[in-house]
Amino acid sequence: MLEFLLRIFGRDTTASKKVAKERLRLVLVHDRAGVSPHLLEALKNDLISVISEYLDIDTQGLEVTLSHENDSVALVANIPILRVKRTFKTGAETSVKA
Amino acid sequence: MGEVIVITSGKGGVGKTTTTANLGTGLASLGKKVVLVDTDIGLRNLDVVMGLENRIVYDLLDVVEGRCRLKQALIKDKRLENLYLLPANQTRDKTAVSRQQMVDLMAQLREEYEFVLIDCPAGIEMGFKNAIAGAEKALVVTTPEVAAVRDADRIIGLLEAAEMEAPRLIINRLRPDMVRKGDMMDIEDMLEILAIDLIGVVPEDEYIVISTNRGEPAVLDKHSRAGQAYRNIARRLTGEEVPFLNWDAGNGIMARLRRLIGLG
Ligand SMILES: Nc1ncnc2c1ncn2[C@@H]1O[C@H](COP(=O)(O)OP(=O)(O)OP(=O)(O)O)[C@@H](O)[C@H]1O
Ligand SMILES: [Mg+2]
């Protein structure tokens, strides 16, 4: 009953329009950044192949997501390292001892 | 030289066809020479909403493929002298018509009509691209729902990318009672999120269903609230400054109480 009265008088802070607006704002940040799940997946695979040249990483535990902070978006990658490689290739294919 | 305006939305079922029929009829009642083009190929509806489905002989595809002259395919409205419809073809799919054919068709229509209104199919694929190809202006229709506004945002982006003039927004099926309770996004919320100019707000109105059943656009009915909203938008399209209807008849406690006891 109290909730009913609060709603009539417009004091309900959890009115569903607020939820709708917030969800919309977040989904549009994603949409406008042009980042699709497909793109994130491709990015993740490329990250794995590049990083694997330097580090042994846990490809299963790897997470790439977008995080929303206020009105900006950040790319957040969480990459568990299993082992640092002793030798790694540089672009010119010369082997370097670490 | 007339204006070519596409009515689009992204999400399906938000009221593009209803809007095209009502704005076209509204503009024609203001004395403008108007043609409506249904580009929802394979899923034509505009003929039914206009009550002209029994008069179709030729369609858009017949025109672009040269089986008839443009004039032969245009159907004259039952009620208004200066209103015509070019129906979509029901056979074949959206790939049957090319972008260039659409551009040429619109160029031809604008020679003779003051307003060419294009009813766009839902989606962002070929049908959408064809529909906007020959247009210079766009109206984006949305309802006050997350999915519809989200898709409207996508469409606005695509229209910008196509270097179209800044589109204007029509909010359809607004329910002032739900907005007052805080259970529907309000006009400000949507304008702020989409950052676009508003051209009109159409309330949810059961008269739309009745008028669609009859094949008589609501804009012709003086008692329909949606019809009134469409009459205002039609006037705005002609460049007239028309004040926005006040959907929120006061939010003070007295107004709320009055509504509560049925006096509002
Ligand atoms: N303001 C309104 N009040 C009540 N009903 C409405 C209103 N606007 C549209 N409708 C109803 O919503 C339904 C969908 O409308 P309409 O066919 O115009 O949408 P559309 O965007 O053209 O759909 P599609 O994407 O399938 O082409 C119809 O049944 C119509 O009568
Ligand atoms: Mg339609």
Side-chain angles (χ1 to χ4, degrees):
Chain A
M1 184 60 195
L2 180 63
E3 197 196 327
F4 173 71
L5 280 177
L6 285 176
R7 282 175 77 89
I8 291 174
F9 291 98
R11 301 256 169 74
D12 185 2
T13 47
T14 59
S16 70
K17 87 148 192 173
K18 293 206 173 134
V19 182
K21 199 178 169 191
E22 191 49 29
R23 289 177 61 212
L24 193 53
R25 237 174 37 77
L26 283 179
V27 76
L28 288 186
V29 172
H30 254 282
D31 287 1
R32 288 178 185 167
V35 180
S36 63
H38 177 75
L39 187 148
L40 277 184
E41 200 50 41
L43 173 67
K44 184 170 146 182
N45 290 334
D46 280 355
L47 277 179
I48 290 176
S49 75
V50 170
I51 296 169
S52 298
E53 306 225 336
Y54 303 86
L55 307 166
D56 262 345
I57 54 175
D58 173 10
T59 56
Q60 296 304 307
L62 186 143
E63 264 174 40
V64 179
T65 50
L66 289 181
S67 98
H68 308 275
E69 222 103 7
N70 300 323
D71 276 328
S72 67
V73 220
L75 179 69
V76 178
N78 185 355
I79 309 169
I81 298 173
L82 299 176
R83 192 163 67 84
V84 178
K85 288 195 175 176
R86 188 156 294 138
T87 59
F88 62 91
K89 279 198 215 148
T90 64
E93 267 202 59
T94 44
S95 248
V96 179
K97 302 260 184 265
Chain B
M1 276 286 259
E3 286 181 35
V4 185
I5 306 174
V6 61
I7 289 100
T8 180
S9 70
K11 188 171 183 309
V14 299
K16 294 176 293 295
T17 302
T18 304
T19 297
T20 308
N22 279 286
L23 292 184
T25 307
L27 283 165
S29 352
L30 293 172
K32 302 291 175 189
K33 202 169 175 206
V34 183
V35 63
L36 310 179
V37 184
D38 190 349
T39 64
D40 202 345
I41 289 170
L43 291 170
R44 77 173 170 222
N45 277 157
L46 190 53
D47 53 341
V48 176
V49 178
M50 295 291 296
L52 299 173
E53 67 277 11
N54 292 326
R55 306 186 178 194
I56 297 178
V57 183
Y58 297 108
D59 58 37
L60 192 144
L61 192 62
D62 293 322
V63 174
V64 300
E65 293 189 342
R67 278 187 294 277
C68 69
R69 281 177 294 111
L70 178 55
K71 276 230 159 66
Q72 291 176 288
L74 293 174
I75 301 161
K76 196 163 182 297
D77 186 59
K78 287 180 192 170
R79 298 149 290 245
L80 297 162
E81 277 295 308
N82 41 343
L83 177 60
Y84 290 82
L85 168 72
L86 178 58
N89 46 294
Q90 276 295 64
T91 54
R92 316 247 306 263
D93 65 5
K94 290 181 172 126
T95 58
V97 181
S98 78
R99 231 183 89 94
Q100 190 56 47
Q101 286 171 324
M102 220 53 136
V103 172
D104 295 343
L105 177 64
M106 298 312 155
Q108 224 180 319
L109 287 170
R110 73 189 307 178
E111 291 290 322
E112 224 178 293
Y113 293 88
E114 292 174 272
F115 285 92
V116 181
L117 301 188
I118 305 172
D119 183 13
C120 180
I124 54 172
E125 308 303 328
M126 179 132 174
F128 163 76
K129 288 181 182 143
N130 279 345
I132 68 166
E136 53 179 331
K137 293 186 180 177
L139 301 180
V140 175
V141 183
T142 189
T143 55
E145 290 164 301
V146 176
V149 178
R150 178 202 196 169
D151 289 0
D153 187 76
R154 189 78 207 285
I155 288 293
I156 294 165
L158 292 172
L159 293 171
E160 266 169 21
E163 288 173 0
M164 207 111 129
E165 198 176 293
R168 285 185 289 176
L169 187 71
I170 293 181
I171 297 171
N172 189 22
R173 309 194 76 156
L174 190 83
R175 292 187 49 182
D177 55 329
M178 289 189 73
V179 171
R180 277 190 296 261
K181 281 192 219 136
D183 275 330
M184 182 175 269
M185 280 187 284
D186 63 32
I187 301 167
E188 287 306 314
D189 291 336
M190 285 176 273
L191 294 182
E192 180 197 324
I193 284 171
L194 294 175
I196 171 180
D197 282 341
L198 181 71
I199 190 166
V201 180
V202 182
E204 171 80 26
D205 183 356
E206 62 182 34
Y207 194 83
I208 291 283
V209 179
I210 299 170
S211 72
T212 306
N213 285 342
R214 294 191 178 137
E216 292 167 4
V219 72
L220 294 171
D221 189 282
K222 285 190 192 63
H223 306 294
S224 160
R225 305 217 307 137
Q228 176 63 48
Y230 279 125
R231 281 193 291 280
N232 287 351
I233 300 173
R235 286 165 61 198
R236 290 185 192 114
L237 282 176
T238 67
E240 201 182 320
E241 290 260 342
V242 184
F244 283 89
L245 295 179
N246 184 14
W247 296 112
D248 202 13
N251 251 332
I253 276 201
M254 283 318 287
R256 284 170 195 277
L257 281 177
R258 246 177 287 138
R259 268 195 299 275
L260 198 64
I261 55 176
L263 290 174

